[in-house]
Amino acid sequence: QVEQAEQESSEDETLTAIAKKKAGLRTEADILYLLDLVVGMPYFDKLTLHLKRELFRSNSIEHHSAGSIIFRKDDRAHVCFVLLSGEVEVLAQTSKGGSQIVATLHSGTPFGELGMLSSGVRAATLRAKLNSHVLVMSKQDYKRIAGVSNLDQIVQKIQFIKTKLVGFALTGG
């Protein structure tokens, strides 16, 4: 268990060091580390090696400490994210003004695309449950990755999430 904690700490430090580098300034070793990190993540498995390299070379990576807010409900939504490491909680407002965790996202999960593609504002607050690293993507990059064939699935996801969040707020959690 101690070895696992040390390995996770080392991985967190490596990703944090990579995240501090500006997009376009990552080394080949950084890109290879990121490529190895996403092996087995379904979101990345469908992408070509060339596209993955381009995403890791040209997009920002952010580090969020456990407990920090990634974005808040009603913030402007001009980018989306893919969780590279850690866990993120989705918080919905209750009718009494508080918040409740409605989902926990794990490595490999895209998020934030709903607001970016629909209303332009965030539908929920997202908070890092653990130290987390996210790939930040523009609308253009997201659409290129999602492709036209996935647009129906995206629309269904938007409707499902909106229904769940609105239903949660109306019932008071």
Side-chain angles (χ1 to χ4, degrees):
Q1 211 169 28
V2 171
E3 286 180 28
Q4 182 180 0
E6 288 175 358
Q7 181 181 358
E8 288 173 3
S9 176
S10 175
E11 289 174 1
D12 186 61
E13 289 172 13
T14 301
L15 273 172
T16 300
I18 292 171
K20 288 180 181 178
K21 296 180 181 180
K22 291 185 178 185
L25 298 179
R26 294 192 188 96
T27 65
E28 181 62 17
D30 296 337
I31 302 299
L32 291 173
Y33 183 87
L34 293 168
L35 289 169
D36 187 53
L37 178 71
V38 301
V39 168
M41 292 183 186
Y43 186 78
F44 290 100
D45 283 347
K46 65 183 176 182
L47 305 180
T48 65
L49 179 60
H50 176 77
L51 183 53
K52 286 186 266 194
R53 283 178 160 281
E54 188 178 321
L55 287 173
F56 293 141
R57 196 174 291 118
S58 63
N59 288 286
S60 298
I61 296 174
E62 295 178 352
H63 171 262
H64 294 276
S65 299
S68 68
I69 300 296
I70 298 171
F71 57 74
R72 296 184 185 284
K73 181 182 184 324
D74 296 326
D75 283 354
R76 299 247 331 125
H78 58 281
V79 297
C80 65
F81 308 87
V82 181
L83 185 56
L84 297 175
S85 71
E87 291 183 358
V88 171
E89 297 170 323
V90 179
L91 305 170
Q93 281 186 295
T94 65
S95 59
K96 298 175 184 171
S99 62
Q100 179 72 35
I101 299 167
V102 295
T104 300
L105 309 179
H106 303 277
S107 295
T109 305
F111 63 94
E113 75 277 23
L114 304 179
M116 184 182 71
L117 294 173
S118 61
S119 66
V121 296
R122 303 294 183 196
T125 297
L126 273 78
R127 174 178 66 202
K129 180 178 179 179
L130 305 172
N131 286 341
S132 300
H133 294 86
V134 296
L135 177 69
V136 183
M137 290 193 304
S138 68
K139 187 174 190 176
Q140 178 183 347
D141 279 338
Y142 182 80
K143 284 183 172 182
R144 187 168 49 145
I145 290 169
V148 177
S149 63
N150 289 337
L151 288 179
D152 286 341
Q153 292 174 345
I154 294 166
V155 170
Q156 289 173 352
K157 184 176 179 183
I158 290 169
Q159 294 306 318
F160 173 79
I161 295 295
K162 282 186 173 182
T163 301
K164 186 170 183 172
L165 293 177
V166 169
F168 182 83
L170 292 177
T171 63

